[in-house]
Amino acid sequence: MSAHITVAKTAGFCFGVKRALEAAYSLAESGGGCTLGRLIHNRHVTEELAERGVVAVNSADEATGTVIIRSHGVGREVYGELERRGIPYIDATCPFVAKIHKIVAEESAKGANVLIAGDPEHPEVKGIIGHCSGESRVVNNVGDIENLLNFENGFVQSSLIFVAQTTAQLSKWIEYKKIIQKHCTKLKIFDTICSATTHRQTEAERLASHSTLMVVVGDPHSSNTAKLVSICSRYCRTFFTEDALSLPVQEIKQALSVASGDHYIGITAGASTPDGIIKEVHRIMSEITRNDEMDIDFMAEVDKTFKRVYIGNRVKAVVVSVNNTEAVVDIGTKHSGYIPADELTATPGLLPKDVVKVGDEIDCVVTSINDAEGVVYLSKKRVDAAAGLEKLSDAMNSNATISGVVTQVIKGGVIVTCEGTRVFVPASHTGITRGKRTDTPETPEELQKKLEPLLKKEVSLKIIEVAESRGRVVGSIRNAQKEESDALKSKFWSEVEVGKKYVGEVKSLESYGVFVDLGGVDGMVHSSELTWNRIKHPREVVSVGDKLEVYVKSFDPEKKRVSLGAKDPNDNPWTKFLAEFAVGDVVKAQVVSTTPFGAFAQIIPGVDGLIHISQISLDRVTNVSQYLTIGQLVEARITEIDQEKSRVSLSIKELLEEEAANAEPEETIDISEVEGAVEAAEAAEAAEAAESEE
Ligand code: SF4
């Protein structure tokens, strides 16, 4: 003996219900609203919608936000009420129902009475009545028709139109029509049972006629489900259930145990039954027919693994495989779950394997279901974004700094991905240097170029706006930088003291010194404090960006000024000089500069001595350059050392004088002898002249 289970092809959501649900889920995405009455006759779906912010209300009085008019439709007075109150609405009236509204409105406007076959308490029927201009009656059984014929002859003998509720039972409708046609002469009949209902009932009837038992799945309040139960019951034992958990397992088992031969089980469902519920009922029925030993434990197990899946469901998924385009997951149902790469993460350019690995348990949301193929598509990104939005909102409220990666440069700013959520940072909040106000503003292309270096960088930022309804988050890198800089400044001023050493970064060079970033605060090193050597410009010893070891010489917290020194006392050339040289020593020095009053000559690096103009030569010097040139090596004597003023005086002249003094004495001539000789020569010359005259 074997069991064969057939699920009716027409079971489950009809076109009109799907349409209304899509409208509701879209309303939920855009912030929620309400439906006039339960959107569909299914508790699971309406509860889920309520959780997502789309609640059922009884009238326009209770409406909150946008209203959805469900597939059953409403009377004209309801549209009028919504419009009078200015309440926005989405009209999800099923086109099959709207067609009846049009028929009754047009015909009754021409004077026809309207007869409706249906449940007078059903909202669809009430809505139809609301479109009639004149008299209308509802018949729900043959007795109602007989009463009408017997007691309201005037109504039926006038011009009459006869319509059916879209979900009326086909066999009954045919029966009603036959009776009415016999008694009414000015009659127009409109076959308004919708094709979805007709096909569903016809298929259910055919299936039931070949089955050992039928299971009809649906809501206890659903009229079309009740009609399916009624149809199927005519042919075989029929069980009604709201979902898999409500299946009367023992009764079904018993019904099967008394049936002879192979078991043929049919399953159908009302128009408001989600496919997931039908699939679960099918699964459990398969288990029942396989398990003769059905017991409490089995149902407990079923209960444990039972999961309904709807669009928008948040589910736990276990990753079973990962490829380059998607992650395949198990969500604990019979469905195969897929998460496409672009639904795994908000960070562009990542492959699925960069985000998840086999065995990971992750939270996802169902984005679409293909029951025919048993496939569910999910998104991890949306769950991350929702959780991220909450975290970002908390971060904004607590003014916390968070970090993220710049993933995109867009018009007017950048996108930073934080906590799986896209955060927009306007250009003015990115911390990049913009043109001055007086400058011509950058073109969009120029701005883009300035922002591009931020791409792929990890940044810290503050959240300055979260618009949850629009999923928009705005951040500021600049604010985070300012907070960090303020904290560093405050720490610096609380700890700074004279002599304290820092390693700073050279920020800029000026002719008189350099500015050094000490971590939030800039200090200035004068050129004379930069090196022990004599320099003309700081660029001779440092460049922007260099790390420089400095110490605090003085500071002024009021004026926010810090004066720094960079010369290492251990390298002080004066210490070295004093250890090696003393007054009186003769040194070899190199002329490094000349002035009108003398020349400076380097004795050792960092110590120059002054050769005063009066000490350059034995001669009287009026122009230093005529005697000394830069670069010239000279020998001089240290004549004075002024330790306090770090000055050394040199003299070349002293050495020259000494030299002259120490030179070999020349042969001396007695001047009186010379004078005597001259006188004698002159006398001889005079005598000679006198003799010649004589
Ligand atoms: Fe429309 Fe028919 Fe579905 Fe009713 S049962 S919503 S009339 S398709």
Side-chain angles (χ1 to χ4, degrees):
M1 188 173 64
S2 59
H4 311 271
I5 301 176
T6 306
V7 178
K9 288 192 181 71
T10 51
F13 286 162
C14 63
F15 151 77
V17 166
K18 275 187 192 153
R19 191 167 162 268
L21 274 172
E22 276 164 18
Y25 284 122
S26 139
L27 184 61
E29 289 281 312
S30 58
C34 60
T35 61
L36 275 183
R38 289 172 67 199
L39 190 70
I40 62 171
H41 289 302
N42 186 278
R43 178 173 56 86
H44 303 296
V45 176
T46 49
E47 281 173 4
E48 192 216 337
L49 278 173
E51 272 174 29
R52 300 180 65 186
V54 180
V55 295
V57 297
N58 293 319
S59 67
D61 284 342
E62 300 169 16
T64 50
T66 301
V67 168
I68 293 181
I69 296 172
R70 56 190 174 171
S71 57
H72 300 315
V74 292
R76 279 191 296 222
E77 73 285 359
V78 178
Y79 288 102
E81 178 76 0
L82 291 171
E83 276 156 22
R84 208 167 32 256
R85 289 170 176 244
I87 298 171
Y89 64 85
I90 297 165
D91 192 351
T93 304
C94 177
F96 287 110
V97 178
K99 187 176 147 201
I100 304 177
H101 292 172
K102 189 164 180 281
I103 292 169
V104 301
E106 286 175 0
E107 294 295 331
S108 63
K110 288 188 237 164
N113 290 334
V114 177
L115 183 59
I116 306 160
D119 177 356
E121 294 306 316
H122 195 279
E124 181 188 321
V125 174
K126 289 181 177 171
I128 294 169
I129 293 170
H131 286 266
C132 299
S133 307
E135 292 287 309
S136 61
R137 300 286 186 275
V138 181
V139 288
N140 200 22
N141 50 52
V142 174
D144 289 343
I145 298 178
E146 284 170 352
N147 283 340
L148 193 70
L149 294 173
N150 290 334
F151 303 111
E152 293 203 70
N153 202 38
F155 178 86
V156 292
Q157 290 312 323
S158 307
S159 176
L160 183 70
I161 66 161
F162 193 21
V163 295
Q165 183 181 337
T166 53
T167 51
Q169 195 170 325
L170 188 59
S171 58
K172 287 190 179 173
W173 169 241
I174 293 168
E175 189 182 359
Y176 300 164
K177 282 196 294 184
K178 272 187 195 160
I179 301 171
I180 291 290
Q181 275 168 331
K182 276 189 204 157
H183 296 87
C184 303
T185 48
K186 294 184 210 163
L187 176 67
K188 268 196 197 170
I189 296 177
F190 295 88
D191 283 311
T192 52
I193 295 179
C194 84
S195 54
T197 302
T198 310
H199 293 150
R200 190 188 313 271
Q201 291 179 0
T202 308
E203 191 188 14
E205 188 166 13
R206 197 173 55 244
L207 191 57
S209 66
H210 294 95
S211 295
T212 314
L213 67 81
M214 284 290 295
V215 176
V216 179
V217 193
D219 190 274
H221 303 101
S222 160
S223 108
N224 73 82
T225 307
K227 279 162 198 141
L228 290 174
V229 173
S230 159
I231 291 166
C232 296
S233 302
R234 281 194 249 132
Y235 296 92
C236 63
R237 182 81 189 272
T238 298
F239 294 91
F240 162 77
T241 187
E242 192 176 352
D243 52 34
L245 283 177
S246 309
L247 274 170
V249 176
Q250 293 307 331
E251 284 179 54
I252 291 171
K253 258 191 77 182
Q254 196 176 359
L256 290 174
S257 70
V258 297
S260 57
D262 284 355
H263 297 156
Y264 292 91
I265 298 168
I267 299 175
T268 187
S272 302
T273 312
D275 290 338
I277 292 183
I278 301 169
K279 272 190 170 294
E280 282 303 321
V281 169
H282 184 191
R283 184 165 75 85
I284 302 303
M285 286 305 297
S286 304
E287 298 288 346
I288 290 172
T289 53
R290 272 205 299 271
N291 273 277
D292 287 342
E293 299 306 315
M294 175 70 55
D295 55 21
I296 289 296
D297 287 346
F298 169 76
M299 281 315 290
E301 201 52 36
V302 167
D303 190 25
K304 218 162 65 184
T305 60
F306 177 79
K307 276 186 187 170
R308 290 180 292 272
V309 183
Y310 312 115
I311 292 172
N313 259 166
R314 274 182 73 149
V315 294
K316 290 251 182 241
V318 176
V319 179
V320 292
S321 71
V322 182
N323 58 44
N324 280 347
T325 57
E326 64 202 1
V328 183
V329 295
D330 177 3
I331 59 169
T333 68
K334 294 292 180 187
H335 298 91
S336 301
Y338 294 94
I339 310 176
D342 61 354
E343 289 296 334
L344 273 167
T345 173
T347 307
L350 291 185
L351 289 170
K353 68 178 169 55
D354 301 326
V355 185
V356 291
K357 60 182 186 310
V358 173
D360 281 355
E361 188 183 67
I362 53 177
D363 289 314
C364 306
V365 64
V366 176
T367 55
S368 72
I369 303 167
N370 184 338
D371 271 323
E373 293 176 13
V375 168
V376 170
Y377 290 95
L378 306 111
S379 171
K380 175 179 183 295
K381 181 174 80 175
R382 293 191 206 179
V383 172
D384 291 346
L389 213 56
E390 209 174 305
K391 283 187 190 161
L392 295 180
S393 187
D394 289 347
M396 181 180 70
N397 295 334
S398 60
N399 193 34
T401 300
I402 53 167
S403 63
V405 174
V406 178
T407 50
Q408 213 179 340
V409 173
I410 59 168
K411 194 178 168 196
V414 297
I415 297 294
V416 179
T417 303
C418 304
E419 303 289 355
T421 305
R422 287 160 60 85
V423 178
F424 172 61
V425 178
S428 58
H429 280 270
T430 54
I432 60 161
T433 312
R434 308 288 303 273
K436 288 179 184 159
R437 271 164 208 244
T438 49
D439 289 348
T440 313
E442 303 110 331
T443 62
E445 292 73 32
E446 286 169 340
L447 181 58
Q448 181 108 357
K449 268 205 165 128
K450 279 190 170 182
L451 294 172
E452 262 160 17
L454 288 172
L455 206 55
K456 296 189 180 162
K457 292 250 166 71
E458 182 160 351
V459 292
S460 296
L461 69 163
K462 295 277 181 188
I463 300 301
I464 55 177
E465 185 191 330
V466 177
E468 287 191 37
S469 58
R470 287 182 289 146
R472 176 185 149 94
V473 185
V474 182
S476 171
I477 298 170
R478 188 189 67 191
N479 288 7
Q481 287 173 340
K482 184 172 183 312
E483 186 184 82
E484 190 185 357
S485 155
D486 287 350
L488 285 172
K489 278 182 187 153
S490 158
K491 184 169 183 288
F492 175 87
W493 289 114
S494 69
E495 294 175 349
V496 67
E497 54 189 50
V498 171
K500 187 161 181 174
K501 286 184 176 175
Y502 294 87
V503 174
E505 185 179 314
V506 177
K507 296 289 290 294
S508 63
L509 307 183
E510 303 295 340
S511 59
Y512 51 85
V514 299
F515 285 92
V516 178
D517 177 10
L518 302 174
V521 173
D522 288 352
M524 205 272 281
V525 188
H526 192 272
S527 292
S528 61
E529 292 298 333
L530 208 49
T531 171
W532 292 107
N533 297 331
R534 188 182 291 269
I535 54 170
K536 284 186 181 154
H537 194 281
R539 77 169 74 91
E540 291 171 34
V541 283
V542 288
S543 304
V544 171
D546 281 357
K547 295 283 182 217
L548 195 61
E549 195 170 318
V550 293
Y551 66 94
V552 177
K553 287 178 69 73
S554 64
F555 62 93
D556 183 342
E558 298 277 303
K559 294 182 180 162
K560 306 286 183 213
R561 281 189 190 154
V562 188
S563 176
L564 303 167
K567 298 192 292 196
D568 184 348
N570 293 327
D571 293 339
N572 190 340
W574 266 93
T575 314
K576 201 174 159 195
F577 173 79
L578 292 173
E580 286 182 24
F581 299 95
V583 171
D585 286 353
V586 175
V587 294
K588 281 207 164 113
Q590 185 171 34
V591 177
V592 289
S593 66
T594 57
T595 69
F597 55 85
F600 287 96
Q602 187 188 73
I603 303 165
I604 60 170
V607 179
D608 296 344
L610 172 66
I611 312 167
H612 192 267
I613 192 167
S614 63
Q615 297 300 313
I616 290 173
S617 171
L618 292 172
D619 301 334
R620 188 167 171 271
V621 179
T622 53
N623 185 347
V624 175
S625 302
Q626 283 179 346
Y627 287 82
L628 295 173
T629 52
I630 292 171
Q632 183 181 344
L633 270 175
V634 294
E635 205 165 37
R637 166 162 291 139
I638 298 171
T639 55
E640 191 184 349
I641 297 174
D642 184 341
Q643 287 191 39
E644 220 168 277
K645 294 181 181 165
S646 301
R647 283 182 187 163
V648 183
S649 299
L650 299 172
S651 172
I652 298 172
K653 188 180 169 188
E654 269 195 26
L655 291 184
L656 291 173
E657 284 172 348
E658 269 180 37
E659 199 179 312
N662 294 335
E664 281 289 317
E666 287 178 17
E667 201 178 326
T668 56
I669 298 169
D670 186 344
I671 195 71
S672 60
E673 281 180 12
V674 174
E675 285 172 349
V678 170
E679 280 173 13
E682 284 175 351
E685 270 182 36
E688 229 179 273
E691 275 176 20
S692 61
E693 280 174 14
E694 282 172 24

